Amino acid sequence: MMMRYLLTAMALSISAAAPAQDYQHEGVRDALPVYQQALKKRLAFPMAWSQDVHDLPAWRAAGRAKLWELTLQPRDNSPFVPQLIAEQDRGSYVARQVVFNLTAESRVRALLLVPKAAGRHPAALMLHDHGAKFDIGKEKLITTWNDPAREASSMAWAGKSFSGRLPGDALAQRGYVVLAVDALGWGDRGPMTADAQQALAANMFNLGSSMAGAMAAEDVRAAAFLASLPEVDTRRVAAIGFSMGAFRAWQVAALSDDIKAVVAVSWMATTEGLMVPGNNQLRGSSAWQMLHPGLLRYMDFPDVASLAAPKPALFFTGAQDKLFPLHSAEQAFAKMRRVWQSWDAEAKFDARVLPGGHVFPREAQDAAFDWLERQPY
């Protein structure tokens, strides 16, 4: 009886003293918690480069170790055990379908382009985009054969994103060894739909793994496989990617010593610029491929990309790219440039704004490949 009286008295007292609706009666707005600004203020990025960094190799090693830890992936040195299953003559080079052990758990089919000329050649790991298009992955970058449906899909994608020319084939014509592999969910490694991504990401977390982490680890392995080929000049191995592939390109350049240079097209900005209402980063779906839990407690996206310094690095963004606001991309570029400057390697860093939107047109491809050939690896 006494307890009921006290509770009633307290309730009456609070009701009389408190203003109406003095509590949080809205928790989510624009797919963000209403306290998003408080969360953003906590993002100090303590492992980012700063002028207080005096031992650059140690800073880079610590950042790389933290990134690898957050992928939730074990180190993998499984034998590749490659097998050639098909081949096509393309004039100055040969196209091959090769099967190899990408990881201890995944044996995959890749597309590989190899010049006919004798000797070792520069090489490129070509990393495909997301695009919410899952029927093709590696075929977004290299022309396939003996598969009419994927050939048609590949050409349609080239028309949409690459001025009708697949960049892997264009680079092979310049004398490069070129490798492209499906990420989990694309091409041979599907089926996947946009709606299924969240369930796959959640289930991989439930299995103690990570969808984004697995993609990062697989790209490191793909780079190692490419560098192991007898036709490859290991001093000149680049990672090249568009959109999600650009994220993958600068990430693998940060993680892998096999990658000596990077070309990243249409994926770079700051967290502050991306985590805003209306941005694609807030929609789930493709964001899962780039989400390492806890990463932003330590480093922002340009900080991770800066772990690739002082390797030659070329970044493109589109002036009208709605996914990566120009001001935010330029802020990221400026931050990265300071890191390359700290290595006395500013000449190896290049960031360019392209006219247009979220595409990698023929002119930009040619400019990127010309830049790559000029680099002193």
Side-chain angles (χ1 to χ4, degrees):
M1 187 69 177
M2 179 62 71
M3 179 62 69
R4 182 183 300 173
Y5 171 80
L6 289 174
L7 290 173
T8 301
M10 182 172 68
L12 290 173
S13 174
I14 291 174
S15 178
Q21 297 191 357
D22 186 19
Y23 59 91
Q24 187 180 68
H25 56 93
E26 179 187 37
V28 178
R29 188 184 308 133
D30 298 316
L32 286 163
V34 293
Y35 50 87
Q36 58 150 316
Q37 293 301 332
L39 295 181
K40 285 182 178 179
K41 288 179 181 178
R42 298 179 192 173
L43 301 179
F45 309 124
M47 297 189 74
W49 176 88
S50 73
Q51 292 183 341
D52 295 329
V53 173
H54 301 296
D55 187 336
L56 287 166
W59 165 79
R60 181 178 58 192
R64 179 185 285 188
K66 176 56 68 174
L67 176 59
W68 191 267
E69 173 192 335
L70 295 174
T71 68
L72 308 182
Q73 305 304 305
R75 300 286 183 172
D76 192 330
N77 295 306
S78 304
F80 295 116
V81 195
Q83 178 186 4
L84 175 65
I85 62 172
E87 190 170 75
Q88 184 183 63
D89 190 316
R90 294 187 179 173
S92 64
Y93 64 96
V94 175
R96 295 172 177 166
Q97 295 184 22
V98 180
V99 172
F100 71 99
N101 294 331
L102 183 59
T103 66
E105 297 79 26
S106 297
R107 187 165 176 82
V108 302
R109 180 171 65 109
L111 293 177
L112 177 67
L113 308 179
V114 180
K116 289 182 180 178
R120 292 180 176 268
H121 308 278
L125 175 63
M126 302 292 289
L127 299 156
H128 68 74
D129 60 80
H130 187 290
K133 183 174 178 59
F134 302 99
D135 62 315
I136 54 173
K138 57 190 178 295
E139 298 87 1
K140 292 182 177 183
L141 298 164
I142 294 175
T143 304
T144 191
W145 69 101
N146 294 334
D147 191 334
R150 283 186 178 170
E151 289 177 50
S153 192
S154 177
M155 289 300 100
W157 198 250
K160 176 181 178 181
S161 301
F162 305 129
S163 300
R165 181 180 74 176
L166 293 178
D169 295 275
L171 199 52
Q173 290 172 355
R174 289 179 174 236
Y176 279 70
V177 178
V178 181
L179 176 70
V181 183
D182 293 322
L184 182 64
W186 277 265
D188 297 333
R189 305 181 72 198
M192 173 91 96
T193 64
D195 292 342
Q197 291 175 100
Q198 181 169 326
L200 177 60
N203 289 332
M204 290 194 74
F205 286 142
N206 284 329
L207 292 167
S209 187
S210 158
M211 188 156 67
M215 188 170 68
E218 288 180 355
D219 289 343
V220 169
R221 284 278 293 174
F225 174 70
L226 178 59
S228 75
L229 298 177
E231 300 91 348
V232 169
D233 179 352
T234 57
R235 300 168 301 174
R236 298 182 66 83
V237 180
I240 303 175
F242 163 68
S243 193
M244 181 185 79
F247 177 100
R248 298 168 65 190
W250 51 253
Q251 178 173 253
V252 73
L255 283 172
S256 171
D257 290 330
D258 291 311
I259 297 299
K260 309 301 186 184
V262 57
V263 175
V265 183
S266 297
W267 209 115
M268 180 48 68
T270 63
T271 296
E272 179 65 30
L274 291 176
M275 299 298 292
V276 295
N279 189 274
N280 197 56
Q281 192 79 349
L282 271 61
R283 298 178 184 175
S285 62
S286 63
W288 289 106
Q289 311 294 336
M290 280 72 75
L291 195 160
H292 299 296
L295 174 64
L296 295 174
R297 293 174 58 189
Y298 304 97
M299 292 174 280
D300 200 353
F301 299 118
D303 304 325
V304 175
S306 295
L307 297 174
K311 300 173 183 178
L314 173 61
F315 287 80
F316 284 129
T317 196
Q320 283 80 48
D321 192 334
K322 296 180 181 179
L323 300 180
F324 298 92
L326 181 58
H327 178 64
S328 181
E330 290 182 326
Q331 285 183 320
F333 294 157
K335 192 174 190 182
M336 290 188 289
R337 188 180 300 278
R338 289 191 289 272
V339 181
W340 265 260
Q341 288 173 338
S342 74
W343 284 93
D344 293 325
E346 184 178 6
K348 293 184 179 181
F349 180 83
D350 196 348
R352 306 181 190 181
V353 178
L354 300 173
H358 198 71
V359 291
F360 188 22
R362 181 183 296 255
E363 297 79 8
Q365 292 176 42
D366 289 337
F369 301 158
D370 289 344
W371 174 90
L372 198 58
E373 290 174 1
R374 294 193 301 268
Q375 296 313 303
Y377 286 68

